[in-house]
Coordinates of all heavy atoms in Angstrom, one line a residue:
I173 N 7.3 -15.3 -1.9 CA 6.0 -14.7 -1.8 C 5.4 -14.6 -3.2 O 4.2 -14.9 -3.3 CB 6.2 -13.3 -1.2 CG1 6.6 -13.4 0.3 CG2 4.9 -12.5 -1.3 CD1 7.0 -12.1 1.0
S174 N 6.2 -14.1 -4.2 CA 5.5 -13.9 -5.5 C 5.2 -15.3 -6.2 O 4.3 -15.3 -7.0 CB 6.5 -13.1 -6.4 OG 7.7 -13.8 -6.6
S175 N 5.8 -16.4 -5.8 CA 5.4 -17.6 -6.4 C 4.4 -18.4 -5.6 O 4.0 -19.5 -5.9 CB 6.7 -18.5 -6.5 OG 7.2 -18.9 -5.2
H176 N 3.9 -17.8 -4.4 CA 2.9 -18.5 -3.6 C 1.6 -18.5 -4.4 O 1.2 -17.6 -5.2 CB 2.7 -17.6 -2.3 CG 1.9 -18.3 -1.4 ND1 0.5 -18.3 -1.4 CD2 2.2 -19.1 -0.3 CE1 0.0 -19.0 -0.4 NE2 1.0 -19.5 0.3
P177 N 0.9 -19.6 -4.3 CA -0.4 -19.8 -5.1 C -1.4 -18.7 -4.9 O -2.2 -18.4 -5.8 CB -0.9 -21.1 -4.6 CG 0.2 -21.8 -3.9 CD 1.2 -20.8 -3.5
L178 N -1.4 -18.0 -3.7 CA -2.3 -17.0 -3.5 C -1.8 -15.6 -3.8 O -2.5 -14.6 -3.7 CB -2.7 -17.0 -2.0 CG -3.5 -18.2 -1.5 CD1 -3.8 -18.1 0.0 CD2 -4.8 -18.3 -2.2
A179 N -0.6 -15.5 -4.4 CA 0.0 -14.2 -4.7 C -0.9 -13.4 -5.7 O -1.0 -12.2 -5.5 CB 1.4 -14.4 -5.2
D180 N -1.4 -14.2 -6.7 CA -2.2 -13.5 -7.7 C -3.5 -12.9 -7.1 O -3.9 -11.8 -7.4 CB -2.6 -14.4 -8.8 CG -1.5 -14.7 -9.8 OD1 -0.5 -13.9 -9.8 OD2 -1.5 -15.7 -10.5
F181 N -4.1 -13.6 -6.1 CA -5.3 -13.1 -5.4 C -4.9 -11.9 -4.6 O -5.6 -10.9 -4.6 CB -5.9 -14.2 -4.6 CG -7.1 -13.7 -3.7 CD1 -8.3 -13.4 -4.3 CD2 -6.9 -13.5 -2.4 CE1 -9.3 -12.9 -3.6 CE2 -7.9 -13.1 -1.6 CZ -9.2 -12.7 -2.2
L182 N -3.9 -12.0 -3.8 CA -3.5 -10.9 -2.9 C -3.1 -9.7 -3.7 O -3.3 -8.6 -3.2 CB -2.3 -11.3 -2.0 CG -2.6 -12.5 -1.1 CD1 -1.4 -13.0 -0.3 CD2 -3.7 -12.1 -0.1
D183 N -2.6 -9.8 -4.9 CA -2.3 -8.7 -5.8 C -3.4 -8.2 -6.6 O -3.3 -7.3 -7.4 CB -1.1 -9.0 -6.7 CG 0.2 -9.1 -6.0 OD1 0.3 -8.6 -4.8 OD2 1.2 -9.7 -6.5
G184 N -4.6 -8.9 -6.5 CA -5.8 -8.5 -7.2 C -5.9 -9.0 -8.6 O -6.6 -8.5 -9.4
R185 N -5.0 -10.0 -8.9 CA -5.0 -10.5 -10.3 C -5.8 -11.8 -10.5 O -6.0 -12.3 -11.6 CB -3.6 -10.8 -10.7 CG -2.7 -9.6 -10.8 CD -1.4 -9.9 -11.3 NE -0.7 -10.9 -10.6 CZ 0.4 -10.8 -9.9 NH1 1.0 -9.6 -9.9 NH2 0.9 -11.7 -9.2
A186 N -6.4 -12.3 -9.4 CA -7.2 -13.5 -9.5 C -8.5 -13.3 -8.7 O -8.6 -12.5 -7.8 CB -6.5 -14.7 -8.9
D187 N -9.6 -14.1 -9.1 CA -10.8 -13.9 -8.4 C -10.9 -14.7 -7.1 O -10.1 -15.6 -6.9 CB -12.0 -14.2 -9.3 CG -12.1 -15.7 -9.8 OD1 -11.7 -16.5 -9.0 OD2 -12.5 -15.9 -10.9
V190 N -10.9 -18.8 -7.0 CA -9.6 -19.4 -7.2 C -8.9 -19.5 -5.8 O -8.4 -20.5 -5.4 CB -8.7 -18.7 -8.2 CG1 -7.3 -19.2 -8.2 CG2 -9.3 -18.7 -9.6
A191 N -9.0 -18.4 -5.1 CA -8.4 -18.3 -3.7 C -9.0 -19.3 -2.8 O -8.4 -20.0 -2.0 CB -8.4 -16.9 -3.2
Q194 N -7.8 -22.8 -3.5 CA -6.5 -23.0 -3.0 C -6.4 -23.2 -1.5 O -5.7 -24.0 -1.0 CB -5.6 -22.0 -3.5 CG -5.3 -22.0 -5.0 CD -4.6 -20.8 -5.6 OE1 -4.5 -19.8 -5.0 NE2 -4.1 -21.0 -6.8

Side-chain angles (χ1 to χ4, degrees):
I173 293 174
S174 63
S175 66
H176 190 277
L178 293 176
D180 285 343
F181 173 72
L182 295 173
D183 288 342
R185 295 185 305 243
D187 65 35
V190 172
Q194 291 171 343

